[in-house]
């Protein structure tokens, strides 16, 4: 989520700079962006209809597995600690507790 917020903040900053210099943005008009959103959401309608007509035997979240990865791209994940690093951190914390 953090990269998305940072991207939005930087976009707003660039927009303010463009406005100060009275330069038009090279970005497509809002109507084009709304059209792209419609395309992304429209691609989700056929799988939704298929799942209603012939549901899978295993109940899964259609929104979680079909829509989110396609519409939002791969969202950033939390970094997983290496097993050796986790063991070292645990050893350090127990050493500090004993002293």
């Amino acid at each position: 989520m953090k990269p998305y917020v940072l991207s939005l903040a930087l976009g707003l900053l660039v927009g303010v700079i463009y406005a100060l210099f009275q330069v038009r943005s090279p970005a497509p008009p809002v109507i084009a962006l709304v059209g792209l959103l419609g395309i992304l959401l429209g691609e989700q309608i056929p799988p939704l209809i298929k799942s209603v007509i012939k549901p899978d035997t295993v109940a899964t979240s259609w929104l979680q597995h079909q829509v989110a990865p396609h519409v939002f791209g791969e969202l950033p994940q939390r970094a997983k600690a290496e097993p050796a690093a986790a063991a070292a951190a645990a050893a350090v914390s127990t050493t500090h507790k004993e002293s």
Side-chain angles (χ1 to χ4, degrees), residues 89-99:
V92 169
S93 67
T94 56
T95 306
H96 288 293
K97 288 179 185 176
E98 292 173 0
S99 31

Side-chain angles (χ1 to χ4, degrees), residues 30-48:
V30 173
I31 191 76
L33 297 176
V34 171
L36 287 173
L37 178 62
I39 291 170
L40 279 173
L41 296 176
E43 287 179 336
Q44 306 308 313
I45 292 174
L48 175 63

Side-chain angles (χ1 to χ4, degrees), residues 48-67:
L48 175 63
I49 293 172
K50 286 179 186 177
S51 70
V52 169
I53 293 172
K54 184 180 175 193
D56 292 335
T57 55
V58 178
T60 58
S61 171
W62 170 78
L63 183 67
Q64 183 75 22
H65 297 288
Q66 175 68 24
V67 176

Side-chain angles (χ1 to χ4, degrees), residues 8-43:
L8 177 63
L10 290 175
L12 289 171
L13 176 65
V14 169
V16 168
I17 292 170
Y18 278 4
L20 291 174
F21 286 108
Q22 297 179 350
V23 176
R24 289 204 28 109
S25 168
V30 173
I31 191 76
L33 297 176
V34 171
L36 287 173
L37 178 62
I39 291 170
L40 279 173
L41 296 176
E43 287 179 336

